[in-house]
Amino acid sequence: MIFDLKQESQKSYFYYALDSETIFYEGNTLNATLNFKSDIEVISMAEELDINKSIFAVQNMTLTLKLYQDGILRVIINEKEINKDRFRISEHDMDASIVEEQLNCNKHKISDVIQQDGNKIILKTISEDQLDSYEYRIIFSPFRIEQIVNGYTTIIVNDKDTLYFENYFKFTQSFMTYKSIKDEIDLNKLEQDPIFKMMQDMPFNRRSKVFGNVQENSWLTTFYYNIVRKDIIRQSMALSFRINSEYLFGLPERSEKLLLGLTEESDPYRLYNIDIFPHQEWNNTGLYSSIPYLQAHHQDFDAAILWYNSAETWVDIRSHDQGRLTNFVSESGQIEFFLIGSAARDSPKRLSKLVATISGFQFLPPLYTLGFHYSKWEQESSAKRISYINDQFEEAEIPLDVLWMDLPHTDDVRYFLFNQRSFTDDDVIRMSKLIHQSERRLVLITDPHIKKDQNYFVYIKGNQLELREHQGEHINIFIKNDLNQTIVGNCWPGQSLWIWIDMNEPSVFNTPEGTMSKFAIHYNSEGKKLSHRDLHNAYGLMMSRATYYGMLNRDEDKIRPFILTRSVFFGAQRFSAKWTGDNLSTFKELSVSINQMMTLGLTGISFVGADIPGFHGRPSDELFCLFYQLGSFYPFMRAHGHLDMKGREPYLQDEETQKVIKDSILIRYDFIHYYYTLFYQASTEGVPLMRPLWYEYPKNLRAFKITEQFMLGSSILYVPKLQKGQKEQKQFFGQVVEVVYIVNCYLPIEDLWYNYINKQIQKDDNDIQILVLQLHEQAIFIRGGSIIPIKMHQNKLSLLRLIRLPIKLEIYLDRNQQAEGLLYLDDGDSFRYQTHNESSYIKYAYQNKTLTYEIIQTDSYYPQAIELKIAQISVFGLKFKPSSYDILTDQLKINDDNSNLDYLHIHDDHEHEDETLHNEQRSFQERKDFKVKGFNSEEYFLMIIKNLDFTVDDGSRLIKTRNLIKIQ
């Protein structure tokens, strides 16, 4: 309401001013007081009244600024006097959402960077690598904060003076009556109250919509009386941000486009975790997660706001000049937010690292979790059924890495207990042995609902521990209502209690929005009461944190936990993977899933996937295929289906569909080292795996609105088939009807692009290209200048079976005949990469016709890397016809015969034939005449060096960089 009026009106009505006399700074922290002020140009003055007050707003607030490395600014605003104990999530989440240790490792002294200039103070600092200079201008009156990065003004805080803290404390006593409230309201004073004046200026129809259909001033008494009746202290707050870009992203989770739209003609974006089954496509309704992160992208900079409030929050986005005006409103708590920005090269990636510095870096997942997961909610399950599914995948020769067990594995939905009828001890032992021998893994579901059952050991133990003191720590297990009675809700187990441990929004079936009451009470370890409305959106985060550390404790810190959650908040990437919940088996969901995952990735949540081929619905064979093809490029690949959706097993599909599924998983296996290296980069640099085009091409305006293709890391561009195929008739010994897929594809002109399957160099054109694909074909492009480690997996049926098989290096040259790529290795399971420096991180580079490798981390070494061999090196896009090669290191062994060297001629006059280089079983001699179509006047050649036996890392650290091969 305030945001609307202040945007529409030229009047300010009220604002806050920083009292310069209260400024105090120490270390990296600056403190001051903000005071409420009325707009004296609008409000007529009366000597006997203090017009710089309002009964609606907090009069005095504390302002805290903290300046960290690389220009990170933290801002905290709270009441100074009446309600100083407002909730702040970062004070209660045990460092789950903010990693204070990372922030505090390089703090700036305010005294070293501060300048005072009349009505403002200026904080100036520079990034550690000196590529970004930061200037924060804190203007006293009206209060503003301006962020300036490398000379660009990126964000202005409180540009429209919407900073506002509700103050209804006086009217929240339960003994207040309608008459006593009316007596408390002094209409003479109200006439000089700036906020009352603003409300009076509202059109009657709008005011009645907000406060009720009442005349004159009785609306105010009625409004206050309703507050008393609700018996809850209203303490909402608001703050606006002017952002100098029209391209805004973030605010997950919703099934909406990546690029955020305007809310001028709609409700603001709501951030409040709820369980929606199933969620609808292209809808801005908030879903299972709420991350109040807003990123602006511009050709010259990236900047972001991290709004750290876990209560219900609304975000308005309006047009404003060449940018956007946004307003955040949260129901309760304090204001706490971070400002970050970069205007250097690769500014999106630099911003991602700043996000990770604040909220934590992506956990490095176990290697097997990057494979294919199969899950199905069924009416009944058993150890024999799980074993049968495993055997059927083997018989159909469809790769599989993880089997999941849903609700039916439990004893009457009592989690942590197997159903003893279908999971006898002997059957479980045989099942576990089979899965282990198949080199696969099992995952079990746990929801946050504890069945109210006097014979259930978890319920019994929880009651025994309730409200006890243990070594000075307050123990409280189950969530309470406002009368301190244990809440009993309804979910899968029936009547359920709740702990911090899929349905973790948290979901409660028998409530208006299917989630927990805002009046519920939590207790922290000190016995302090916390209202659920304050922390609702962080419930799933805290469940993930508790589960993560519980698993660490169980496994004695030896094995990396793997956890999947449906609900996330800032910081969840440190503990769990995430899936997008109850999606539909529709063609629209293909595109929706891409937008959802790219949005989550920008907020730091990288390990994410959507249920394949949609959780609910009956997909056609065609949709089945398209979902698996796209899903093989999700960071997290899992098939899952609803109870009523029968016949979802891949091995039950027709022959063509099975082949598409198998080929899709095997292509994922091709890139498994590339995936794992990307996850390592996410864990150290904060970059997402799945990226919008503008993330890699930040100055390419055409890329800003493209949302139906994406980058996987920096080197792979994937263009999925998202629509039904079209029937096309061909004349070939009669009429033949063929289904083809018309796909729009944009390949940024800044780079060369190669088709991964047939190695074609693609058209050098900045226009949208039209691809015509068949059902089994995929549009996978490799960026020129990349070196990709490809797993020679021999069609093995799980990642754990193939991980020691050789790799081949595929070198895709750019226009300057150069390329580089990375390879990260560790045991894929333990923490020895951290505790014992057992990892190898290698950079391969090709330039001046020479391939080299460089050990990036010379203080670490993965011992088993000596067993991993490079068996083949392929170079694509050579501008000369190679005749031979020289070995430049004694670590490279080859069989000395003519079959080692292959080369192909690529020229724009030739059409490629039926054969493709992807067929590993054909020798070069059989495809001597294989030709590839080029798209420019230059000639290109391909060289393949086979039968190599090159150790990836022999452990020697005497020489950091080595030359491997020189092409002649």
Side-chain angles (χ1 to χ4, degrees), residues 111-297:
S111 58
D112 293 339
V113 299
I114 192 169
Q115 301 174 12
Q116 185 151 354
D117 181 13
N119 186 40
K120 61 180 177 291
I121 53 177
I122 301 173
L123 306 178
K124 287 186 175 182
T125 184
I126 193 167
S127 62
E128 192 172 1
D129 59 12
Q130 300 188 345
L131 295 178
D132 278 311
S133 62
Y134 298 94
E135 182 176 323
Y136 287 102
R137 297 177 181 176
I138 296 93
I139 299 168
F140 299 160
S141 183
F143 170 65
R144 304 274 190 275
I145 300 175
E146 297 178 355
Q147 182 193 59
I148 302 170
V149 186
N150 286 0
Y152 298 104
T153 300
T154 55
I155 297 174
I156 301 176
V157 180
N158 198 36
D159 183 61
K160 279 290 185 178
D161 290 311
T162 63
L163 174 59
Y164 177 73
F165 271 58
E166 275 192 302
N167 175 31
Y168 299 118
F169 191 80
K170 184 176 181 180
F171 298 98
T172 55
Q173 310 305 315
S174 59
F175 58 83
M176 295 288 285
T177 65
Y178 187 90
K179 183 177 183 305
S180 63
I181 292 173
K182 189 172 183 179
D183 292 342
E184 283 282 341
I185 298 174
D186 187 332
L187 293 180
N188 290 324
K189 291 183 179 179
L190 277 179
E191 291 299 329
Q192 301 302 321
D193 188 308
I195 297 180
F196 180 81
K197 173 65 175 173
M198 183 177 65
M199 293 176 180
Q200 290 288 75
D201 287 349
M202 290 175 65
F204 176 77
N205 60 343
R206 183 181 293 185
R207 192 171 72 226
S208 63
K209 182 178 179 181
V210 176
F211 298 106
N213 189 19
V214 290
Q215 298 289 339
E216 300 177 348
N217 295 321
S218 60
W219 62 266
L220 184 58
T221 306
T222 302
F223 178 60
Y224 279 141
Y225 184 57
N226 287 334
I227 292 174
V228 173
R229 290 172 62 191
K230 290 179 180 177
D231 197 28
I232 185 170
I233 298 175
R234 287 176 60 104
Q235 51 172 249
S236 71
M237 82 290 295
L239 184 61
S240 64
F241 300 82
R242 190 179 113 194
I243 303 173
N244 289 327
S245 172
E246 59 186 285
Y247 298 99
L248 301 188
F249 308 90
L251 303 182
E253 178 185 19
R254 59 199 78 249
S255 55
E256 184 60 290
K257 289 286 188 183
L258 175 69
L259 179 63
L260 292 171
L262 300 173
T263 58
E264 291 161 335
E265 303 297 330
S266 65
D267 287 338
Y269 288 101
R270 186 191 190 203
L271 293 119
Y272 190 68
N273 298 350
I274 53 176
D275 175 5
I276 295 181
F277 168 76
H279 58 247
Q280 299 300 309
E281 312 98 328
W282 304 127
N283 192 303
N284 72 357
T285 301
L287 297 173
Y288 316 97
S289 304
S290 300
I291 305 180
Y293 172 84
L294 195 61
Q295 177 171 343
H297 178 65

Side-chain angles (χ1 to χ4, degrees), residues 794-805:
Q794 300 175 15
N795 296 345
K796 297 291 186 181
L797 298 184
S798 81
L799 286 178
L800 295 179
R801 300 184 197 181
L802 62 83
I803 201 58
R804 297 191 185 280
L805 294 178

Side-chain angles (χ1 to χ4, degrees), residues 823-891:
L823 175 63
Y824 174 80
L825 300 169
D826 62 24
D827 65 19
D829 192 51
S830 77
F831 290 98
R832 293 184 69 87
Y833 74 99
Q834 291 179 331
T835 59
H836 292 72
N837 286 338
E838 289 189 1
S839 66
S840 293
Y841 196 24
I842 301 162
K843 177 181 177 181
Y844 295 96
Y846 179 94
Q847 58 181 346
N848 299 324
K849 303 181 182 179
T850 302
L851 177 65
T852 65
Y853 87 95
E854 175 186 352
I855 302 297
I856 297 177
Q857 297 171 342
T858 56
D859 59 347
S860 64
Y861 170 59
Y862 173 50
Q864 277 67 51
I866 197 169
E867 301 174 12
L868 183 62
K869 307 295 184 179
I870 295 176
Q872 181 173 303
I873 296 173
S874 302
V875 187
F876 306 105
L878 288 165
K879 291 184 178 180
F880 65 96
K881 182 177 180 179
S883 58
S884 64
Y885 60 89
D886 295 330
I887 304 300
L888 305 179
T889 174
D890 57 6
Q891 297 300 322

Side-chain angles (χ1 to χ4, degrees), residues 941-956:
F941 296 85
L942 172 149
M943 183 178 189
I944 300 175
I945 307 173
K946 303 185 297 184
N947 302 324
L948 301 175
D949 187 24
F950 173 45
T951 295
V952 169
D953 185 359
D954 63 0
S956 173

